[in-house]
Amino acid sequence: MQLVLPFEHMAKAAQYMEPSVFEYVREGEIESFESFEKFDFLAFDWYDVHSKRTEDYKMLAYVSRENLIIFTEGAAGDTAKKIMDGLAAENPELRSEQLLYRFFVRLLNGDMDCLSRLENEIDEYENVYLFKSESGKDVFEKLSAWRRELLRIKRYYEQLSAIFDELADNDNQLLTRALRKRILILGSRMDRYLGAVRNLQEIVSQMREAYQSQLSIQQNELMKLFTVVTVVFLPLTLLTGWYGMNFTNIPELTWRYGYPAAIGASVLIVVLLLRHFRKKRWL
C-alpha cells in the first residue's frame, strides 16, 4: 500500500501499522532516520529549490516491505502526491522500497539545473552590477538574500545526505543489494549537490568581502580629500584668527600693502601645500 497523507489525516494510516508504531508516529518525535526490525522512518524538512518560496515543510516516510506511507504538511503534500501518482501510473508493481528510491529521484530531479542557474545569476551580478551599483544597501540585500537561500538549501541537502547514508547501511536488510547500491549513488549525488552549494556560499562570501573592501577604499579616498582640504585651510584660519584679533598696533593694519600681502600669503600657502600633496601623491 502506498499513501500520501497530510499530518492532520494520519489516522487513515492506522490500519497499516501496528498500534504501538502508529502511536509513535503520532507523537512526532522522529528525527532524521530511524531503523527498526521490519520498517524504517525517514523525517526531513522539504525545501522546494525550484520555487520562490522560502518556507520548508515537514515530510515523514514510513517504509516497510508492504507499505510506503508519506506524511506531509503544506505545499509538500501536493508535490509528494504528484510524484507518487506518477510512479504508480508508470509501474504499479513496484515494491515499497523501490518506490521510495524513485520518489527521492523524482524529488531531486532538476535540482542541479537550479543550482547552475543560481550560479550563473550570481556570476552575472558580480560581473555586471556588483561594482557599478550606486546603492550599497541594494547590494548587501541581494547578497544577504542569496546567503539565506543557500543556507536553506544546504540544510535541506545535509538532511537528505544523512538519511541516504543511514538508509544505505541497511541494518534491517529492508533493501536488496541492487537497491542499496542505488541509494549509495543517490548519496553521492547528494554530496555533489552539497559541494556545489558550498562553492556558491564561498563565492557569495567573497563577493561580500570584495564589496566591503571597495567601500572601505572609497571611504578612505573621501577621508583623504577631507584631510587635504582641512590642512590647506588650517593656515588660512590661523591668518584670519591672527588678524581678527582686536589690536590696533599691528603694523600690517597701517601698511599700504598689508591687505594685498595677506591675500598673497594665503594664495602662496595654498599653492605650496597643494604642490607638496601632489609630490607626495596624496592628490
Side-chain angles (χ1 to χ4, degrees), residues 39-88:
F39 56 88
D40 292 332
F41 280 125
L42 294 74
F44 61 96
D45 296 324
W46 174 71
Y47 182 72
D48 191 357
V49 180
H50 302 262
S51 76
K52 297 295 183 180
R53 288 193 299 263
T54 58
E55 303 87 357
D56 50 32
Y57 303 94
K58 293 189 179 299
M59 273 196 187
L60 169 63
Y62 164 84
V63 55
S64 64
R65 296 188 185 278
E66 299 81 18
N67 301 309
L68 173 60
I69 304 174
I70 299 177
F71 303 99
T72 64
E73 69 174 2
D78 295 335
T79 299
K81 184 168 178 52
K82 183 178 179 181
I83 292 175
M84 293 290 284
D85 289 346
L87 292 173

Side-chain angles (χ1 to χ4, degrees), residues 157-174:
Y157 287 154
E158 283 176 339
Q159 291 179 83
L160 293 184
S161 179
I163 287 174
F164 294 151
D165 288 344
E166 295 282 354
L167 191 60
D169 287 342
N170 200 25
D171 292 334
N172 55 9
Q173 301 300 311
L174 187 63

Side-chain angles (χ1 to χ4, degrees), residues 116-134:
S116 297
R117 285 195 295 271
L118 182 57
E119 181 179 10
N120 292 334
E121 183 182 350
I122 293 173
D123 184 64
E124 180 182 358
Y125 187 80
E126 180 181 19
N127 294 331
V128 178
Y129 299 107
L130 180 60
F131 299 113
K132 296 181 181 179
S133 175
E134 297 181 358

